[in-house]
């Protein structure tokens, strides 16, 4: 009879850690937008993953060597995950932030939970727990409340431009990354993260070089240095370790649902950093997002279920 409580504790802990990740990633989108005139997008991504890789190298080198057999045998999946989760997602996100607002980018990423559930169903045949699906629906309702500012007619005024299309493509890539994480080779966490970071560095290098040859350079200042430091450490090193671990604990669908927290944190950060006002629809949306995540976190499956084994 104590099993549900025993399962709930790590489940809620994973969601709490995912909340921290979403806070860091919300800041990543805001910073990416703030420096888009000073740092070319692929240069930002290249420096981000290069710095993150160098910081991680002393701690991961021995682990990568010890896990070399598993990494080599699963190199195709490692390469795929590195390309879609590190290179494609972040490159397109930063590129899109040059044409659309941070708020739009954060809101578009709220589509990830639905895409994760769709891809999980198509690729692995996973059926969501009804309570989990209800939690996702409640969270998305909260996002909609924030997007439309409590006004249903606001949908008629939405504009979808090239930046939004780039961010939406990045969103599709991240949903695939989340679902396919279950196929990663069995290695130490630092081994997998380090190698996928290296994939990101290699993929971004020629694109960053192309920007430099086109005369696009970094406008150096303490602000750009701080931006590089932030994106290299918190949304990269810290967040990818936590996200990969949490996805293994709660499954891709629930981990993907945590993305709905980003509009919430984006609104809070905009208020704190940019001085933007928070209105009643913000608080209503935030309450719905949190309620949906709590419902989903508590929708525990028995350990012996097929879904639990896959996760």
């Amino acid at each position: 009879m104590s099993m549900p409580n025993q399962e709930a504790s790590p489940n809620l802990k994973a969601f709490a850690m995912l909340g921290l990740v979403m806070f860091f990633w919300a800041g990543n989108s805001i910073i990416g937008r703030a420096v888009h005139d000073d740092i070319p997008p692929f240069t930002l991504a290249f420096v981000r993953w290069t710095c993150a890789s160098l910081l991680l190298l002393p701690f991961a080198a021995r682990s990568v060597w010890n896990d070399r057999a598993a990494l080599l045998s699963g190199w195709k999946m490692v390469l795929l995950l590195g390309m879609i989760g590190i290179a494609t997602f972040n490159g397109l996100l930063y590129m899109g932030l040059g044409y659309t607002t941070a708020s739009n980018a954060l809101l578009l990423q709220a589509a990830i939970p639905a895409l994760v559930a769709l891809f999980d169903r198509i690729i692995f045949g996973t059926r969501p727990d009804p309570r989990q699906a209800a939690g996702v629906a409640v969270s998305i309702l909260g996002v909609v409340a924030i997007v439309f500012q409590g006004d249903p007619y606001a949908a008629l005024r939405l504009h979808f431009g090239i930046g939004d299309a780039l961010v939406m493509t990045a969103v599709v890539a991240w949903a695939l990354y989340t679902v396919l994480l279950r196929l990663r080779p069995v290695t130490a966490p630092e081994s997998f993260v380090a190698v996928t970071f290296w994939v990101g560095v290699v993929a971004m290098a020629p694109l960053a070089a192309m920007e430099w040859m086109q005369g696009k350079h970094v406008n150096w200042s303490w602000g750009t240095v701080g931006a590089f430091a932030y994106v290299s450490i918190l949304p990269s090193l810290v967040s990818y370790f936590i996200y990969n671990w949490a996805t293994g604990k709660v499954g891709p669908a629930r981990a993907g649902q945590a993305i709905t927290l980003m509009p919430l944190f984006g609104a809070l950060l905009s208020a704190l950093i940019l001085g933007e006002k928070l209105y009643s629809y913000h608080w209503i949306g935030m309450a719905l997002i949190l309620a949906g995540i709590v419902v989903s976190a508590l929708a525990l499956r028995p350990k012996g279920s097929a879904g639990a084994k896959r996760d």
Side-chain angles (χ1 to χ4, degrees):
M1 294 300 293
S2 62
M3 185 178 295
N5 289 331
Q6 292 173 348
E7 290 184 0
S9 180
N11 203 46
L12 293 174
K13 178 183 177 182
F15 266 99
M17 296 303 290
L18 281 169
L20 185 63
V21 171
M22 299 312 144
F23 181 81
F24 292 150
W25 282 348
N28 179 54
S29 291
I30 289 176
I31 285 178
R33 175 61 182 175
V35 301
H36 77 277
D37 287 330
D38 298 310
I39 307 176
F42 295 125
T43 299
L44 179 58
F46 173 70
V47 174
R48 173 185 180 180
W49 298 119
T50 299
C51 291
S53 297
L54 291 174
L55 290 169
L56 182 59
L57 185 60
F59 307 98
R62 182 182 294 274
S63 178
V64 170
W65 177 254
N66 292 337
D67 288 329
R68 64 190 184 279
L71 290 167
L72 287 172
S73 65
W75 71 268
K76 292 181 180 178
M77 185 53 59
V78 173
L79 179 62
L80 176 62
L81 290 169
M83 285 299 298
I84 62 177
I86 308 296
T88 302
F89 173 74
N90 291 280
L92 290 177
L93 175 64
Y94 289 145
M95 192 174 178
L97 284 167
Y99 300 95
T100 190
T101 64
S103 296
N104 276 14
L106 289 165
L107 295 169
L108 286 170
Q109 289 174 72
I112 288 176
L115 289 172
V116 167
L118 176 63
F119 292 148
D120 208 15
R121 175 65 173 156
I122 292 173
I123 299 173
F124 297 106
T126 304
R127 294 179 180 273
D129 183 286
R131 290 171 296 173
Q132 179 186 340
V136 171
V138 172
S139 289
I140 292 177
L141 185 61
V143 173
V144 168
I146 295 175
V147 172
F148 295 152
Q149 301 180 354
D151 177 13
Y153 294 103
L156 302 176
R157 300 191 293 270
L158 289 180
H159 173 71
F160 196 82
I162 180 64
D164 303 301
L166 289 168
V167 172
M168 196 64 210
T169 306
V171 162
V172 172
W174 186 259
L176 278 171
Y177 173 81
T178 300
V179 171
L180 294 176
L181 268 177
R182 68 178 65 184
L183 300 180
R184 66 188 184 271
V186 180
T187 67
E190 59 270 26
S191 300
F192 175 75
V193 170
V195 174
T196 54
F197 280 13
W198 297 342
V199 171
V201 172
V202 173
M204 289 297 106
L207 297 173
M210 189 182 303
E211 288 178 333
W212 304 335
M213 289 187 290
Q214 293 172 348
K216 300 176 181 178
H217 299 293
V218 177
N219 296 323
W220 289 102
S221 67
W222 285 114
T224 54
V225 171
F228 280 132
Y230 178 85
V231 301
S232 299
I233 298 172
L234 297 178
S236 301
L237 277 176
V238 175
S239 295
Y240 273 76
F241 273 108
I242 296 175
Y243 188 82
N244 293 346
W245 167 80
T247 300
K249 290 291 182 183
V250 303
R254 292 182 185 131
Q257 186 191 354
I259 300 289
T260 54
L261 282 169
M262 285 208 290
L264 183 157
F265 289 133
L268 293 175
L269 288 172
S270 295
L272 291 172
I273 298 172
L274 304 177
E276 297 181 0
K277 289 186 176 181
L278 291 177
Y279 296 97
S280 58
Y281 61 81
H282 283 113
W283 299 110
I284 293 171
M286 291 175 192
L288 289 170
I289 289 170
L290 291 173
I293 289 176
V294 170
V295 168
S296 184
L298 295 175
L300 295 169
R301 293 179 180 180
K303 277 190 174 181
S305 70
K309 290 180 179 178
R310 286 196 189 97
D311 293 342

